[in-house]
Amino acid sequence: MGTPEFAVETLQALVENGYNVVAVVTQPDKPVGRHGSVLQPSAVKQYAVEQGLPVLQPEKMKDPAFVEQLRSYEANLQVVVAFRMLPEVIWAMPAYGTFNVHAALLPQYRGAAPINWAVINGETETGVTTFFLDHDIDTGRIIMKKRFVIPDDADVEYVYDGLMHLGAQLCLETLAAIIAADGHPETIAQEEIASSQLKVAPKIFKETCEIDWTKTARQVYDFVRGLSPVPGAWTTLVAPDGRETVLKIYKTRKTGRQGQGSGALCIQDKALCMAAQDEWLEIVELQLAGKKRMPARDFLNGMKNLELYRVK
């Protein structure tokens, strides 16, 4: 059970390692295009169809017809990767239960966007966890973990790719352990290893992605790479006459130079810099609304009197 590209890697590992994948469950096709007239299948569905696997796309997971259809496949085990919350009638169905491959070191970063939030919060390490599903989101008993180092200059794309491959490996190791233990591998309750400072990973919306320049340069730097390239951090430039221009910012560079107060803007040595609470940050890559992503130096060439603007 899964939807995005992240889940395809695990499905492919199951197929290529000879596991009997009896069916694939994914989200319904999504309307795309200007009028929503074209239906786009999920990445998981595209791979499943190529492999000749049966694909189920329920609108509602409790739909009795879907529940019965799923039951007819008589699966011993269900694997979930980047999907949706499942009702007990689904996760409790197989004899060996249902386990999830989660892109964080649980119990830290429960939620929909664990990769983004780990980078946004400046973590130097994250990982993947397999756990058996229970009634709440990402709270079940942990089966296995694998750790992953986050370099200081890594963005979400780098971490996403790394965890995607690591998750597939961990899935295979978890399956081997479950089979060897006849469905009852050693597990650990998350409560036993939970600290008092649990960090969460809620879903990210457009307003979540607005840069707060009152934060430190380090925090803004991590925020930008934690949202790059998707969905992208953004800020608003305000012209002297009050006109506003929205910019997506994909890459910044720490300068170590003391700033002039949050939201100030300067051009130094042909580089565009914006001030966080304590330091200037150089803007390296950005995108104007309706334009392509570009180096900040190209942006400077096309803008006049930019030094008179301020950051909102």
Side-chain angles (χ1 to χ4, degrees):
M1 299 183 180
T3 296
E5 178 196 12
F6 191 90
V8 175
E9 190 76 14
T10 297
L11 176 57
Q12 185 174 344
L14 295 174
V15 170
E16 293 181 354
N17 282 273
Y19 285 96
N20 180 22
V21 181
V22 293
V24 172
V25 183
T26 190
Q27 296 279 46
D29 294 357
K30 237 173 129 181
V32 294
R34 182 173 294 179
H35 305 293
S37 55
V38 179
L39 291 177
Q40 176 74 35
S42 71
V44 163
K45 179 180 178 179
Q46 291 178 54
Y47 177 80
V49 169
E50 288 170 8
Q51 299 300 314
L53 300 171
V55 177
L56 311 181
Q57 296 177 274
E59 292 280 353
K60 296 180 180 177
M61 299 303 290
K62 290 184 179 179
D63 179 355
F66 164 67
V67 173
E68 287 312 305
Q69 186 181 17
L70 188 63
R71 200 186 305 279
S72 72
Y73 286 101
E74 300 181 344
N76 300 101
L77 180 71
Q78 292 172 160
V79 181
V80 179
V81 188
F83 193 44
R84 57 201 278 194
M85 190 170 180
L86 302 181
E88 183 174 2
V89 67
I90 299 298
W91 57 256
M93 189 182 293
Y96 284 6
T98 300
F99 76 83
N100 187 297
V101 180
H102 185 73
L105 297 173
L106 291 173
Q108 297 293 352
Y109 294 107
R110 293 169 176 161
I115 306 176
N116 298 94
W117 286 109
V119 181
I120 287 170
N121 289 336
E123 302 288 0
T124 57
E125 182 184 66
T126 184
V128 284
T129 304
T130 50
F131 67 95
F132 282 116
L133 265 65
D134 65 10
H135 292 94
D136 297 312
I137 295 176
D138 302 336
T139 59
R141 294 185 67 86
I142 290 172
I143 310 167
M144 289 183 174
K145 289 184 182 183
K146 274 186 182 290
R147 297 180 179 275
F148 182 85
V149 173
I150 305 176
D152 185 63
D153 61 349
D155 61 15
V156 157
E157 188 170 45
Y158 173 90
V159 183
Y160 181 100
D161 288 347
L163 295 184
M164 182 170 68
H165 296 297
L166 199 62
Q169 293 173 26
L170 188 62
C171 175
L172 295 177
E173 292 176 22
T174 300
L175 275 170
I178 291 173
I179 292 166
D182 196 27
H184 300 284
E186 285 188 25
T187 59
I188 185 167
Q190 292 191 36
E191 294 75 22
E192 294 180 29
I193 55 174
S195 68
S196 58
Q197 297 250 318
L198 283 183
K199 298 171 184 174
V200 294
K203 190 173 180 180
I204 289 174
F205 300 94
K206 181 183 177 183
E207 54 270 24
T208 315
C209 302
E210 184 176 11
I211 298 170
D212 179 358
W213 294 99
T214 66
K215 296 199 170 182
T216 66
R218 174 80 233 190
Q219 289 173 313
V220 175
Y221 172 80
D222 290 335
F223 186 78
V224 169
R225 66 194 185 98
L227 295 168
S228 179
V230 176
W234 60 274
T235 194
T236 305
L237 287 185
V238 183
D241 63 3
R243 284 183 301 110
E244 296 187 349
T245 304
V246 175
L247 291 180
K248 273 195 176 181
I249 298 180
Y250 293 100
K251 189 175 181 181
T252 64
R253 184 180 293 123
K254 292 167 284 183
T255 67
R257 299 196 312 273
Q258 191 171 349
Q260 293 180 358
S262 303
L265 185 151
C266 78
I267 300 164
Q268 189 166 34
D269 298 326
K270 297 184 178 179
L272 172 61
C273 296
M274 296 180 184
Q277 176 199 106
D278 53 350
E279 294 177 12
W280 290 106
L281 269 181
E282 181 186 346
I283 310 303
V284 180
E285 289 184 35
L286 52 75
Q287 181 180 16
L288 270 166
K291 304 289 185 181
K292 290 183 178 179
R293 179 173 170 173
M294 68 179 81
R297 288 173 186 255
D298 291 352
F299 171 73
L300 286 176
N301 291 336
M303 293 288 286
K304 292 180 180 178
N305 302 318
L306 194 57
E307 62 278 359
L308 300 178
Y309 285 62
R310 62 181 175 85
V311 181
K312 189 173 180 179

